[in-house]
Amino acid sequence: MPSKAQTRTFEVTTRDLEGLPDSRGDSIRSMLSSDHGIEVGSVRVILGYQVMADISDTEAESLVYDLFADPVIEVGSSESRLLDGFPIAPDAAIQVGYKPGVTDNPGQAGLDGLATLYPANECAMVATFRTYAFWGVPEGISPEDLASSLHNPMIERASVSGREDCSRGNWPTLDFPSRPAASFQEPSTVDLEVSDQELIGISEKGLLALNLEEMKAIQDHYRDPAIQSSRNEAGLPPDRPTDAELECLAQTWSEHCSHKIFAASIRHVDNEIGEDCTINSLFRTHIMQPTLDIQEEEDWLLSIFHDNSGVISWNDEWSVCIKAETHNSPSALDPYGGAITGIVGVNRDILVTGLGARPIANTDVFCFGPPDYSGSIPEGLFHPSRVFRGVHSGVRSGGNESGIPTVNGAIVFDERYIGKPLVFCGTVGIMPRRLPDGRESHVKTPKPGDVVYMVGGRVGSDGIHGATFSSLELTEESPSSAVQIGDPITQKKMLDMILEARDAGLIQVITDNGAGGLSSSVGEMAELTGGAEIDLATVPLKQAGLSSWEILVSESQERMTVGVHPEDCHEFESLASLHEVEATAVGTFTDSGAFVVRHGETPVAHIPIHFLHDGCPQLRLESEWDPPTHMPVETPELDPDGMGRLLGRLIARPNVASKEWWVRSYDHEVIAQSVIKPFCGANHDAPGDAAVIAPIQGGTQGLVISNGIAPRYSDIDSYAMAAASVDEALRNAVCVGVDLEMIAGLDNFCWPDPIESSKTPDGRYKLAQLVRANRALDDVCRAYRLPCISGKDSMKNDAMLGGEKISVPPTLLFSLLGNHVAVKKAVSSDFKRPGDSIFLVGETHQELGASELSFMLRDDGLGGIGGAVPEIDPERNMAAYRALTSAMSDSLVASAHDCSDGGLAVALAECCFGSDSGASLDISPLWYDCENLDPWGALFGETLGRILVSVKPEDRGAFEGAMEGISCHYLGEVSEGDMITVTRGAVDLMFASMSELREAWKGTLHGGGPR
Amino acid sequence: MTPKVAVLSGFGINCETETAAVFEMAGASADRIHLNRLVSGDSSLSEYQILAIPGGFSFGDHLGSGRLLGNRLRFGLREQVREFVKAGNPVIGICNGFQVLVKMGLLPGDEEVSLTQTASLALNDSGHYENRWATLEFDPESPCVWTNGLERIRVPVRHGEGKFVTDDPSLMDRWAESGQLVARYVDPGDEYPSAGDEILPYPTSPNQSWRNVAGVCDPSGLVFGLMPHPEANHSTWLGATWTREETTHGEGEGMPIFHNAVKHVVDA
């Protein structure tokens, strides 16, 4: 290890050249302005590298321009401060660097670059920092204010120099973030022969998140004489668990890993209809059973529920898979790190599906507090705009750097997401149906005797207790060790290597080291062979001195566990070394019936596989439904122009407004497969509905990827919320012409804690909401023949801060993966040309309850959100979807766009944005289907199953023929010019200027910089 | 003959699959080769007639996009690369691959193939990464074998660091004269030809590159690099506005670039 004396500091900044701005500084300036309302004169950014290595002065000199600084556009220095070089001293200078132990990706890259030039430096370390210099800081803004907007104290350190210091050249300085050695603790044991209260105390103190019944099940296990005698043989204390065993059980049994609420026995009481029943597992009853029933009739459902993602057979040569995960708690504490860890984590779920699938598309759906929120923020939380920017940035880095396009997504805003943002990251993967050696790629084939490899990153003290932490509410004491920063480059190298190993037939079984670390990954795979034995002393560590239990449960990222036949080990290791990926044999799969862990010669754990996986007692819960009451929606009196202005306000609301600024910075086209993109229309700025990709280059069979999310409706009825989510996902897919014969779904539930307790007195109601959402999922998926092939739940989305509890609205994200028969016939959302006929497919009802309009009017101080929430008629919708997709395959449809937030009026405006046109509509036919409709319901109601379609005039007859028997109304035409006019017969309802609407729509969520 | 293309992979190169695919569509045979196989001598560039460095985020773009991969090539493969280029074999770098070629000094380059960096790709003026479509126009006088006969194409740009600059403005004149500033952003609404030196407004020029430069070649015209992704428009149904156009489906606007290189090798 080099001594501190050999730490050298290198600095780099943009050279002063005409026509070359310091864009890093400019970005900081515009971020401060748009997120914090702080207007500074100018900002310069200096990148810094602290290098601990055994290099000479000459070598250091050469590193400045051979490694750190670009010789053409940057100036670099070694051992002198670039801050000295500015002609006018800054008003403030702030240096930000990582805390010790936090993943420093640029530092890792710098270290790799150092090794290219000076390979001998094996013990070298590189840390990065940034220095921000400010001129023109407004009065009243302290350097500390600036610093707090530039760093997150949970993971970063800042050093600050104010005006006085700057004028004297006293610059901010940080030490090298040396990681302190961990203090190794000898394996200990935990005495469970204690009172019930003490059992709970053990769970709480250890962040185990186990309840009394679960603690008692563990207590019972260690009282079993048969267990005691086998433990004696293994050299372990017979009557009590080791710390590692207790940790291992807590991880495996955590809500996060074992979904106890979805597996619970629930006594459900519905006071509205007088129902009283018991549901034995929501998951088995309402999610798995419908899929199994559909599987009886379909041959394309290959692998459902049990692997890291669900797999379907796409055609004879390829199968495809999909998975979505949430990463909510870490994203609340460190938005960037939480989100990047989330996205690269779900990529791994795909990579480890079957024998390995290639991730080919990401989807991202976020729920945040309103970006313009002006209320108080509880201590310990960030303002929603900062969470938004950080999460976006993390997902952007994770997706872009991994070369996986972000093809679809959504962003939802509600004040109740201030406590915990929801960050859903989804990934689609593809794999050959059969590998070159003939094995089916979706089936894992481990045998006792296979060698257990840990592949990828090393194990550190980062990420201890992530699984159990996410099974608890967020509090001031939430541990920083649960936060990590994903490393896309380590993962990309591993991905390349794993797929090569798969094709070479070297992989027998593979899984991710996510939540619960090795304890979960090896523990899970051990179920397949009936046992496993690992030696923790062989596990490569980031820092010396980690205790046994820490190595076992650490969730340090970018790691896989792979099973390899002994005869293939040499080839596997050579491949790893070619790709510069670390792969270490840490154990063996067995059929001993136990998961056995040693640390060198010391026995650490011996847990029977059946107890590990089936020993957790079923929860027994109670739910009770009483429908909530709300004030009804009240609408103002408005003339047609006023109606147009109101649409302008509605379309500018964050939930509806254009997300272009944010979505543009995701790579959505890498892999060269993107047929229907996030952006449509003449100016590439109108929103697409679903993504269509053609993943085999040159091929025209496609995949459709879409999402549905409607948490607002939970305020009235979570049944409607879940039904709307599924319908929205399918409706979006129908808009691009999905093949309804092959559609598969993914359910991701994010709920507030639904277990009644002193902290959650309304637990029964929240659980009843969960029951109702599950029933909707069951009903609608069966009607749509849309099997759920995988899913996930996150059940503790509450924050308790400063005595205030904030719970998220019950939220279901439904994601859809479908087939597209011929992508050349895919349809986009933008109107195509003036004169095209406009139709609305689907009936419109008077359903304004919990609509975006109702929330806007309520925020205006007018009435409430109560009333009829959109009610689903899945059979009617499905008939319309079948007719419409069939018309699309006959090329009769010029455009199709779904009606969701803001109803018909918003959909119409968005279709016009895409064609730079106006439209002229007479919507009187809407009243054929619903007599008590009013103009508000007609224009802004959110009735499900509706798609706004345009058709070439010459195709109108054939289109109407194709839609025979379906509610499909001709409403008017796409028109030249800027005006959108809507009438009901002779009565004018709404006049609006398309270009003014577009300006409003694009203004709200602009993230700063050039327009 | 069927030309053989070495498509580089590894360390965060991401576009090797589609880059290999477009060369195959253009009639070549393409191998994806991990950089370390070339360094170790497992494979050799001498077995190939075309070298492609695809797009991606090599080493996460840390320390400057393309810098670290450029260094691996500059220090690990120096002689192999020089020999390959001096032997008259076409080389293309796309996006991150272009950044690599510029930072290792192969582009805009010199007759001696001295591997001295003379230009760079700075952070976009917008300060961030963007994915959007742009229209490129090619210099008909350029010696570039890759763009022979091409007027304009529509392609996506997907980068954060694509602003072409140099610290010696006189070099820009020299490169312009020798036809090395071969690809420029243009406003599709302007009549062909319209390529000019005055920087077009954002986002017509997505990065505010000097003289609207999107791609350059070396003096021989064999080494070509560009920020946009022609391989991402290999088929008409991948275009940005194809659903608005009366299209006869087939090869996309990016393909002629790859056909040109394959033809060059076949004809040589």
PDB file of all heavy atoms in Angstrom, chain A residues 57-84:
ATOM      1  N   ASP A  57       8.133  11.966 -10.629  1.00  0.00           N
ATOM      2  CA  ASP A  57       7.677  13.301 -11.032  1.00  0.00           C
ATOM      3  C   ASP A  57       7.496  13.382 -12.544  1.00  0.00           C
ATOM      4  O   ASP A  57       6.550  13.981 -13.039  1.00  0.00           O
ATOM      5  CB  ASP A  57       8.695  14.375 -10.594  1.00  0.00           C
ATOM      6  CG  ASP A  57       8.695  14.539  -9.078  1.00  0.00           C
ATOM      7  OD1 ASP A  57       7.778  13.976  -8.431  1.00  0.00           O
ATOM      8  OD2 ASP A  57       9.603  15.208  -8.553  1.00  0.00           O
ATOM      9  N   THR A  58       8.447  12.788 -13.282  1.00  0.00           N
ATOM     10  CA  THR A  58       8.347  12.823 -14.747  1.00  0.00           C
ATOM     11  C   THR A  58       7.103  12.082 -15.207  1.00  0.00           C
ATOM     12  O   THR A  58       6.383  12.529 -16.110  1.00  0.00           O
ATOM     13  CB  THR A  58       9.578  12.142 -15.385  1.00  0.00           C
ATOM     14  OG1 THR A  58      10.677  12.316 -14.507  1.00  0.00           O
ATOM     15  CG2 THR A  58       9.834  12.647 -16.764  1.00  0.00           C
ATOM     16  N   GLU A  59       6.876  10.932 -14.590  1.00  0.00           N
ATOM     17  CA  GLU A  59       5.692  10.160 -14.959  1.00  0.00           C
ATOM     18  C   GLU A  59       4.430  10.963 -14.646  1.00  0.00           C
ATOM     19  O   GLU A  59       3.484  10.996 -15.432  1.00  0.00           O
ATOM     20  CB  GLU A  59       5.687   8.819 -14.223  1.00  0.00           C
ATOM     21  CG  GLU A  59       6.725   7.847 -14.759  1.00  0.00           C
ATOM     22  CD  GLU A  59       6.889   6.587 -13.905  1.00  0.00           C
ATOM     23  OE1 GLU A  59       6.611   6.654 -12.674  1.00  0.00           O
ATOM     24  OE2 GLU A  59       7.292   5.563 -14.461  1.00  0.00           O
ATOM     25  N   ALA A  60       4.423  11.610 -13.506  1.00  0.00           N
ATOM     26  CA  ALA A  60       3.265  12.413 -13.119  1.00  0.00           C
ATOM     27  C   ALA A  60       3.033  13.516 -14.143  1.00  0.00           C
ATOM     28  O   ALA A  60       1.898  13.792 -14.545  1.00  0.00           O
ATOM     29  CB  ALA A  60       3.466  13.013 -11.736  1.00  0.00           C
ATOM     30  N   GLU A  61       4.131  14.137 -14.575  1.00  0.00           N
ATOM     31  CA  GLU A  61       4.034  15.207 -15.563  1.00  0.00           C
ATOM     32  C   GLU A  61       3.373  14.686 -16.847  1.00  0.00           C
ATOM     33  O   GLU A  61       2.495  15.333 -17.430  1.00  0.00           O
ATOM     34  CB  GLU A  61       5.456  15.737 -15.842  1.00  0.00           C
ATOM     35  CG  GLU A  61       5.512  17.124 -16.446  1.00  0.00           C
ATOM     36  CD  GLU A  61       4.729  18.157 -15.653  1.00  0.00           C
ATOM     37  OE1 GLU A  61       4.834  18.151 -14.409  1.00  0.00           O
ATOM     38  OE2 GLU A  61       3.998  18.936 -16.293  1.00  0.00           O
ATOM     39  N   SER A  62       3.780  13.483 -17.269  1.00  0.00           N
ATOM     40  CA  SER A  62       3.230  12.952 -18.524  1.00  0.00           C
ATOM     41  C   SER A  62       1.766  12.566 -18.364  1.00  0.00           C
ATOM     42  O   SER A  62       0.987  12.590 -19.320  1.00  0.00           O
ATOM     43  CB  SER A  62       4.054  11.755 -18.996  1.00  0.00           C
ATOM     44  OG  SER A  62       3.698  10.603 -18.249  1.00  0.00           O
ATOM     45  N   LEU A  63       1.380  12.213 -17.128  1.00  0.00           N
ATOM     46  CA  LEU A  63      -0.016  11.807 -16.907  1.00  0.00           C
ATOM     47  C   LEU A  63      -0.990  12.962 -17.161  1.00  0.00           C
ATOM     48  O   LEU A  63      -2.128  12.741 -17.524  1.00  0.00           O
ATOM     49  CB  LEU A  63      -0.205  11.321 -15.468  1.00  0.00           C
ATOM     50  CG  LEU A  63       0.208   9.886 -15.156  1.00  0.00           C
ATOM     51  CD1 LEU A  63      -0.001   9.612 -13.671  1.00  0.00           C
ATOM     52  CD2 LEU A  63      -0.599   8.896 -15.984  1.00  0.00           C
ATOM     53  N   VAL A  64      -0.506  14.204 -16.953  1.00  0.00           N
ATOM     54  CA  VAL A  64      -1.432  15.336 -17.063  1.00  0.00           C
ATOM     55  C   VAL A  64      -2.147  15.317 -18.407  1.00  0.00           C
ATOM     56  O   VAL A  64      -3.376  15.337 -18.468  1.00  0.00           O
ATOM     57  CB  VAL A  64      -0.696  16.682 -16.861  1.00  0.00           C
ATOM     58  CG1 VAL A  64      -1.661  17.843 -17.078  1.00  0.00           C
ATOM     59  CG2 VAL A  64      -0.108  16.745 -15.455  1.00  0.00           C
ATOM     60  N   TYR A  65      -1.364  15.233 -19.490  1.00  0.00           N
ATOM     61  CA  TYR A  65      -2.011  15.270 -20.804  1.00  0.00           C
ATOM     62  C   TYR A  65      -2.148  13.912 -21.474  1.00  0.00           C
ATOM     63  O   TYR A  65      -2.883  13.775 -22.436  1.00  0.00           O
ATOM     64  CB  TYR A  65      -1.309  16.279 -21.726  1.00  0.00           C
ATOM     65  CG  TYR A  65      -1.625  17.705 -21.307  1.00  0.00           C
ATOM     66  CD1 TYR A  65      -0.686  18.483 -20.633  1.00  0.00           C
ATOM     67  CD2 TYR A  65      -2.892  18.247 -21.545  1.00  0.00           C
ATOM     68  CE1 TYR A  65      -0.997  19.773 -20.216  1.00  0.00           C
ATOM     69  CE2 TYR A  65      -3.210  19.529 -21.127  1.00  0.00           C
ATOM     70  CZ  TYR A  65      -2.259  20.294 -20.461  1.00  0.00           C
ATOM     71  OH  TYR A  65      -2.585  21.557 -20.050  1.00  0.00           O
ATOM     72  N   ASP A  66      -1.434  12.879 -20.967  1.00  0.00           N
ATOM     73  CA  ASP A  66      -1.639  11.555 -21.553  1.00  0.00           C
ATOM     74  C   ASP A  66      -2.868  10.870 -20.961  1.00  0.00           C
ATOM     75  O   ASP A  66      -3.405   9.941 -21.553  1.00  0.00           O
ATOM     76  CB  ASP A  66      -0.407  10.664 -21.324  1.00  0.00           C
ATOM     77  CG  ASP A  66       0.627  10.856 -22.417  1.00  0.00           C
ATOM     78  OD1 ASP A  66       0.249  11.367 -23.500  1.00  0.00           O
ATOM     79  OD2 ASP A  66       1.799  10.501 -22.195  1.00  0.00           O
ATOM     80  N   LEU A  67      -3.286  11.303 -19.784  1.00  0.00           N
ATOM     81  CA  LEU A  67      -4.418  10.606 -19.161  1.00  0.00           C
ATOM     82  C   LEU A  67      -5.542  11.556 -18.752  1.00  0.00           C
ATOM     83  O   LEU A  67      -6.679  11.389 -19.180  1.00  0.00           O
ATOM     84  CB  LEU A  67      -3.934   9.820 -17.925  1.00  0.00           C
ATOM     85  CG  LEU A  67      -5.026   9.051 -17.180  1.00  0.00           C
ATOM     86  CD1 LEU A  67      -5.700   8.041 -18.098  1.00  0.00           C
ATOM     87  CD2 LEU A  67      -4.446   8.353 -15.955  1.00  0.00           C
ATOM     88  N   PHE A  68      -5.220  12.566 -17.955  1.00  0.00           N
ATOM     89  CA  PHE A  68      -6.313  13.304 -17.313  1.00  0.00           C
ATOM     90  C   PHE A  68      -6.888  14.419 -18.176  1.00  0.00           C
ATOM     91  O   PHE A  68      -8.097  14.558 -18.279  1.00  0.00           O
ATOM     92  CB  PHE A  68      -5.856  13.832 -15.955  1.00  0.00           C
ATOM     93  CG  PHE A  68      -5.559  12.735 -14.978  1.00  0.00           C
ATOM     94  CD1 PHE A  68      -4.274  12.489 -14.524  1.00  0.00           C
ATOM     95  CD2 PHE A  68      -6.591  11.917 -14.528  1.00  0.00           C
ATOM     96  CE1 PHE A  68      -4.013  11.462 -13.628  1.00  0.00           C
ATOM     97  CE2 PHE A  68      -6.336  10.881 -13.630  1.00  0.00           C
ATOM     98  CZ  PHE A  68      -5.044  10.657 -13.183  1.00  0.00           C
ATOM     99  N   ALA A  69      -6.035  15.233 -18.783  1.00  0.00           N
ATOM    100  CA  ALA A  69      -6.555  16.384 -19.524  1.00  0.00           C
ATOM    101  C   ALA A  69      -6.477  16.133 -21.018  1.00  0.00           C
ATOM    102  O   ALA A  69      -5.554  15.489 -21.510  1.00  0.00           O
ATOM    103  CB  ALA A  69      -5.759  17.636 -19.167  1.00  0.00           C
ATOM    104  N   ASP A  70      -7.466  16.634 -21.742  1.00  0.00           N
ATOM    105  CA  ASP A  70      -7.455  16.573 -23.197  1.00  0.00           C
ATOM    106  C   ASP A  70      -6.503  17.678 -23.666  1.00  0.00           C
ATOM    107  O   ASP A  70      -6.719  18.851 -23.353  1.00  0.00           O
ATOM    108  CB  ASP A  70      -8.879  16.815 -23.704  1.00  0.00           C
ATOM    109  CG  ASP A  70      -8.995  16.723 -25.213  1.00  0.00           C
ATOM    110  OD1 ASP A  70      -8.200  17.384 -25.908  1.00  0.00           O
ATOM    111  OD2 ASP A  70      -9.890  16.009 -25.689  1.00  0.00           O
ATOM    112  N   PRO A  71      -5.449  17.328 -24.431  1.00  0.00           N
ATOM    113  CA  PRO A  71      -4.447  18.343 -24.763  1.00  0.00           C
ATOM    114  C   PRO A  71      -4.989  19.457 -25.667  1.00  0.00           C
ATOM    115  O   PRO A  71      -4.367  20.511 -25.755  1.00  0.00           O
ATOM    116  CB  PRO A  71      -3.351  17.541 -25.487  1.00  0.00           C
ATOM    117  CG  PRO A  71      -4.009  16.283 -25.931  1.00  0.00           C
ATOM    118  CD  PRO A  71      -5.108  16.003 -24.961  1.00  0.00           C
ATOM    119  N   VAL A  72      -6.113  19.234 -26.304  1.00  0.00           N
ATOM    120  CA  VAL A  72      -6.626  20.235 -27.239  1.00  0.00           C
ATOM    121  C   VAL A  72      -7.595  21.209 -26.561  1.00  0.00           C
ATOM    122  O   VAL A  72      -7.548  22.413 -26.792  1.00  0.00           O
ATOM    123  CB  VAL A  72      -7.304  19.540 -28.444  1.00  0.00           C
ATOM    124  CG1 VAL A  72      -7.962  20.554 -29.368  1.00  0.00           C
ATOM    125  CG2 VAL A  72      -6.284  18.702 -29.211  1.00  0.00           C
ATOM    126  N   ILE A  73      -8.460  20.703 -25.730  1.00  0.00           N
ATOM    127  CA  ILE A  73      -9.526  21.572 -25.210  1.00  0.00           C
ATOM    128  C   ILE A  73      -9.467  21.795 -23.705  1.00  0.00           C
ATOM    129  O   ILE A  73     -10.312  22.482 -23.149  1.00  0.00           O
ATOM    130  CB  ILE A  73     -10.919  21.009 -25.562  1.00  0.00           C
ATOM    131  CG1 ILE A  73     -11.072  19.565 -25.078  1.00  0.00           C
ATOM    132  CG2 ILE A  73     -11.175  21.116 -27.048  1.00  0.00           C
ATOM    133  CD1 ILE A  73     -12.492  19.037 -25.184  1.00  0.00           C
ATOM    134  N   GLU A  74      -8.502  21.195 -23.048  1.00  0.00           N
ATOM    135  CA  GLU A  74      -8.457  21.363 -21.595  1.00  0.00           C
ATOM    136  C   GLU A  74      -7.072  21.815 -21.146  1.00  0.00           C
ATOM    137  O   GLU A  74      -6.082  21.613 -21.851  1.00  0.00           O
ATOM    138  CB  GLU A  74      -8.821  20.039 -20.899  1.00  0.00           C
ATOM    139  CG  GLU A  74     -10.294  19.674 -21.068  1.00  0.00           C
ATOM    140  CD  GLU A  74     -10.653  18.290 -20.537  1.00  0.00           C
ATOM    141  OE1 GLU A  74      -9.789  17.405 -20.488  1.00  0.00           O
ATOM    142  OE2 GLU A  74     -11.826  18.098 -20.190  1.00  0.00           O
ATOM    143  N   VAL A  75      -7.033  22.424 -19.979  1.00  0.00           N
ATOM    144  CA  VAL A  75      -5.750  22.647 -19.328  1.00  0.00           C
ATOM    145  C   VAL A  75      -5.702  21.745 -18.106  1.00  0.00           C
ATOM    146  O   VAL A  75      -6.711  21.539 -17.437  1.00  0.00           O
ATOM    147  CB  VAL A  75      -5.545  24.113 -18.882  1.00  0.00           C
ATOM    148  CG1 VAL A  75      -5.255  24.990 -20.079  1.00  0.00           C
ATOM    149  CG2 VAL A  75      -6.742  24.634 -18.120  1.00  0.00           C
ATOM    150  N   GLY A  76      -4.525  21.209 -17.847  1.00  0.00           N
ATOM    151  CA  GLY A  76      -4.375  20.323 -16.705  1.00  0.00           C
ATOM    152  C   GLY A  76      -3.199  20.752 -15.862  1.00  0.00           C
ATOM    153  O   GLY A  76      -2.344  21.528 -16.301  1.00  0.00           O
ATOM    154  N   SER A  77      -3.181  20.286 -14.630  1.00  0.00           N
ATOM    155  CA  SER A  77      -2.049  20.603 -13.782  1.00  0.00           C
ATOM    156  C   SER A  77      -1.792  19.428 -12.858  1.00  0.00           C
ATOM    157  O   SER A  77      -2.682  18.615 -12.605  1.00  0.00           O
ATOM    158  CB  SER A  77      -2.344  21.840 -12.934  1.00  0.00           C
ATOM    159  OG  SER A  77      -3.151  21.458 -11.835  1.00  0.00           O
ATOM    160  N   SER A  78      -0.579  19.356 -12.401  1.00  0.00           N
ATOM    161  CA  SER A  78      -0.262  18.388 -11.370  1.00  0.00           C
ATOM    162  C   SER A  78       0.362  19.189 -10.244  1.00  0.00           C
ATOM    163  O   SER A  78       1.291  19.963 -10.466  1.00  0.00           O
ATOM    164  CB  SER A  78       0.673  17.331 -11.953  1.00  0.00           C
ATOM    165  OG  SER A  78       1.788  17.157 -11.163  1.00  0.00           O
ATOM    166  N   GLU A  79      -0.195  19.077  -9.072  1.00  0.00           N
ATOM    167  CA  GLU A  79       0.371  19.729  -7.881  1.00  0.00           C
ATOM    168  C   GLU A  79       0.204  21.246  -7.828  1.00  0.00           C
ATOM    169  O   GLU A  79       0.827  21.890  -7.020  1.00  0.00           O
ATOM    170  CB  GLU A  79       1.863  19.378  -7.719  1.00  0.00           C
ATOM    171  CG  GLU A  79       2.145  17.905  -7.621  1.00  0.00           C
ATOM    172  CD  GLU A  79       1.323  17.189  -6.552  1.00  0.00           C
ATOM    173  OE1 GLU A  79       1.293  17.663  -5.412  1.00  0.00           O
ATOM    174  OE2 GLU A  79       0.694  16.178  -6.870  1.00  0.00           O
ATOM    175  N   SER A  80      -0.553  21.852  -8.724  1.00  0.00           N
ATOM    176  CA  SER A  80      -0.849  23.275  -8.492  1.00  0.00           C
ATOM    177  C   SER A  80      -2.351  23.461  -8.648  1.00  0.00           C
ATOM    178  O   SER A  80      -3.009  22.663  -9.290  1.00  0.00           O
ATOM    179  CB  SER A  80      -0.093  24.157  -9.485  1.00  0.00           C
ATOM    180  OG  SER A  80      -0.620  23.962 -10.782  1.00  0.00           O
ATOM    181  N   ARG A  81      -2.888  24.524  -8.032  1.00  0.00           N
ATOM    182  CA  ARG A  81      -4.336  24.700  -8.048  1.00  0.00           C
ATOM    183  C   ARG A  81      -4.749  25.561  -9.227  1.00  0.00           C
ATOM    184  O   ARG A  81      -4.280  26.680  -9.382  1.00  0.00           O
ATOM    185  CB  ARG A  81      -4.801  25.351  -6.737  1.00  0.00           C
ATOM    186  CG  ARG A  81      -4.540  24.512  -5.488  1.00  0.00           C
ATOM    187  CD  ARG A  81      -5.232  23.162  -5.505  1.00  0.00           C
ATOM    188  NE  ARG A  81      -6.679  23.245  -5.518  1.00  0.00           N
ATOM    189  CZ  ARG A  81      -7.446  23.121  -4.429  1.00  0.00           C
ATOM    190  NH1 ARG A  81      -6.911  22.899  -3.266  1.00  0.00           N
ATOM    191  NH2 ARG A  81      -8.757  23.212  -4.529  1.00  0.00           N
ATOM    192  N   LEU A  82      -5.649  25.039 -10.056  1.00  0.00           N
ATOM    193  CA  LEU A  82      -6.124  25.809 -11.204  1.00  0.00           C
ATOM    194  C   LEU A  82      -6.901  27.043 -10.758  1.00  0.00           C
ATOM    195  O   LEU A  82      -7.014  28.010 -11.499  1.00  0.00           O
ATOM    196  CB  LEU A  82      -7.000  24.940 -12.111  1.00  0.00           C
ATOM    197  CG  LEU A  82      -6.268  23.815 -12.854  1.00  0.00           C
ATOM    198  CD1 LEU A  82      -7.252  22.984 -13.665  1.00  0.00           C
ATOM    199  CD2 LEU A  82      -5.188  24.374 -13.770  1.00  0.00           C
ATOM    200  N   LEU A  83      -7.444  27.002  -9.538  1.00  0.00           N
ATOM    201  CA  LEU A  83      -8.175  28.169  -9.021  1.00  0.00           C
ATOM    202  C   LEU A  83      -7.278  29.399  -8.981  1.00  0.00           C
ATOM    203  O   LEU A  83      -7.745  30.532  -9.099  1.00  0.00           O
ATOM    204  CB  LEU A  83      -8.724  27.877  -7.615  1.00  0.00           C
ATOM    205  CG  LEU A  83      -9.973  26.993  -7.552  1.00  0.00           C
ATOM    206  CD1 LEU A  83     -10.223  26.545  -6.122  1.00  0.00           C
ATOM    207  CD2 LEU A  83     -11.194  27.708  -8.102  1.00  0.00           C
ATOM    208  N   ASP A  84      -5.957  29.182  -8.805  1.00  0.00           N
ATOM    209  CA  ASP A  84      -5.028  30.315  -8.795  1.00  0.00           C
ATOM    210  C   ASP A  84      -4.968  31.030 -10.144  1.00  0.00           C
ATOM    211  O   ASP A  84      -4.550  32.176 -10.217  1.00  0.00           O
ATOM    212  CB  ASP A  84      -3.600  29.830  -8.450  1.00  0.00           C
ATOM    213  CG  ASP A  84      -3.485  29.416  -6.992  1.00  0.00           C
ATOM    214  OD1 ASP A  84      -4.135  30.074  -6.151  1.00  0.00           O
ATOM    215  OD2 ASP A  84      -2.773  28.429  -6.711  1.00  0.00           O
TER     216      ASP A  84
END
